[in-house]
């Protein structure tokens, strides 16, 4: 029986050795798999980070393109609106001189009536032409003084006008598409000194 017991013990020992070897091999495989999984997770995390960075880059590039498109549209719109500004500034003295010629002409003199009619017709044609392109006349007689549109050349006491009212327009102003190209030169009223309660 001793031999048999020894044989059984040897077999058990061999089985245990094989099991330990199998367990060690399994542990080594498991460790290798865990290591590989860790590597793959790190690579996946790095790839996800790159994708996020690229998505952010794409979003920033889209925003930059959109901003550039919007700025370009605004600049083109401004250029369209105010392309005539220099031309209008050169044309305004001509309109002023034609208006003065009409005002100063002797309307009773039959000899110059045809010429005066021609000047008036030319002036009206010129005014209607520039109005089509957004040039608008500022003639603020009787309106409250507004420093955005008017330039006060003098201030005078007046009992007939409310204080801070445009009494006289010395030179008409003009705006181009809502932007003042020349303010109206005006005389502004102030309260007559006898009407002011200085003790108040």
């Amino acid at each position: 029986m001793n031999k048999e017991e020894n044989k059984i013990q040897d077999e058990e020992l061999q089985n245990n050795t094989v099991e330990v070897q199998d367990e060690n091999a399994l542990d080594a495989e498991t460790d290798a798999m865990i290591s590989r999984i860790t590597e793959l997770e790190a690579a996946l995390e790095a790839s996800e980070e790159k994708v996020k960075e690229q998505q952010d880059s794409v979003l920033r590039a889209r925003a930059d393109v959109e901003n550039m498109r919007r700025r370009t549209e605004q600049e083109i719109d401004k250029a369209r609106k105010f392309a005539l500004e220099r031309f209008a500034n050169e044309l305004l003295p001509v309109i002023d001189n034609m208006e003065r010629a009409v005002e100063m002409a002797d309307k009773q003199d039959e000899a110059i009536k045809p010429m005066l009619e021609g000047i008036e017709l030319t002036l009206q044609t010129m005014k209607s032409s520039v109005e089509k392109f957004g040039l608008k006349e500022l003639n603020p007689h009787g309106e409250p003084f507004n420093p955005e549109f008017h330039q006060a050349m003098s201030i005078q006491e007046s009992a007939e006008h409310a204080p801070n009212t445009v009494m006289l327009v010395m030179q008409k102003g003009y705006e181009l598409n809502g932007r003042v190209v020349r303010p109206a030169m005006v005389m502004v009223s102030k309260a007559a000194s006898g009407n002011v309660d200085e003790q108040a």
Side-chain angles (χ1 to χ4, degrees):
M1 274 286 262
N2 243 349
K3 280 188 178 180
E4 263 184 49
E5 282 178 9
N6 279 342
K7 196 174 184 182
I8 292 174
Q9 280 181 349
D10 281 346
E11 284 176 8
E12 282 178 7
L13 202 65
Q14 280 179 348
N15 285 342
N16 284 342
T17 305
V18 169
E19 283 176 13
V20 167
Q21 285 175 348
D22 286 347
E23 281 179 21
N24 286 342
L26 232 100
D27 285 346
E29 277 183 37
T30 304
D31 287 346
M33 287 176 81
I34 289 173
S35 174
R36 181 69 180 142
I37 289 171
T38 306
E39 284 176 23
L40 291 173
E41 284 176 344
L44 179 63
E45 203 172 300
S47 295
E48 286 174 348
E49 199 62 40
K50 279 184 183 177
V51 167
K52 281 182 186 176
E53 286 175 15
Q54 289 173 348
Q55 285 175 336
D56 288 346
S57 290
V58 168
L59 289 175
R60 275 193 300 272
R62 278 187 187 162
D64 287 345
V65 167
E66 184 62 27
N67 289 338
M68 187 185 313
R69 185 190 60 76
R70 199 174 307 122
R71 273 193 308 270
T72 303
E73 283 177 1
Q74 288 171 347
E75 287 172 12
I76 289 170
D77 191 42
K78 282 180 187 176
R80 261 190 230 123
K81 279 185 178 178
F82 304 112
L84 294 175
E85 188 171 346
R86 277 185 65 199
F87 179 69
N89 279 324
E90 294 296 322
L91 198 58
L92 293 180
V94 176
I95 292 172
D96 292 338
N97 289 334
M98 291 177 79
E99 286 177 341
R100 280 191 210 102
V102 169
E103 285 173 24
M104 301 304 236
D106 182 6
K107 292 173 180 60
Q108 305 306 319
D109 188 350
E110 292 295 323
I112 64 165
K113 261 192 179 175
M115 183 180 69
L116 186 59
E117 287 173 4
I119 293 172
E120 287 175 337
L121 183 62
T122 304
L123 179 61
Q124 289 307 317
T125 305
M126 188 176 289
K127 281 184 172 183
S128 67
S129 294
V130 295
E131 282 175 8
K132 289 176 188 173
F133 292 97
L135 191 67
K136 182 181 163 192
E137 183 179 277
L138 299 174
N139 191 2
H141 188 270
E143 296 177 9
F145 176 73
N146 182 346
E148 291 180 24
F149 298 102
H150 314 140
Q151 181 177 353
M153 302 308 287
S154 68
I155 299 175
Q156 219 174 28
E157 291 180 1
S158 174
E160 298 171 15
H161 297 90
N164 210 28
T165 301
V166 175
M167 297 171 38
L168 176 70
V169 178
M170 299 169 186
Q171 184 181 50
K172 293 176 188 170
Y174 287 88
E175 65 179 1
L176 180 64
N177 296 315
R179 181 175 169 184
V180 176
V181 290
R182 184 177 82 184
M185 294 183 183
V186 298
M187 181 185 294
V188 183
S189 65
K190 70 176 183 176
S193 57
N195 297 342
V196 177
D197 182 5
E198 294 178 5
Q199 293 180 353

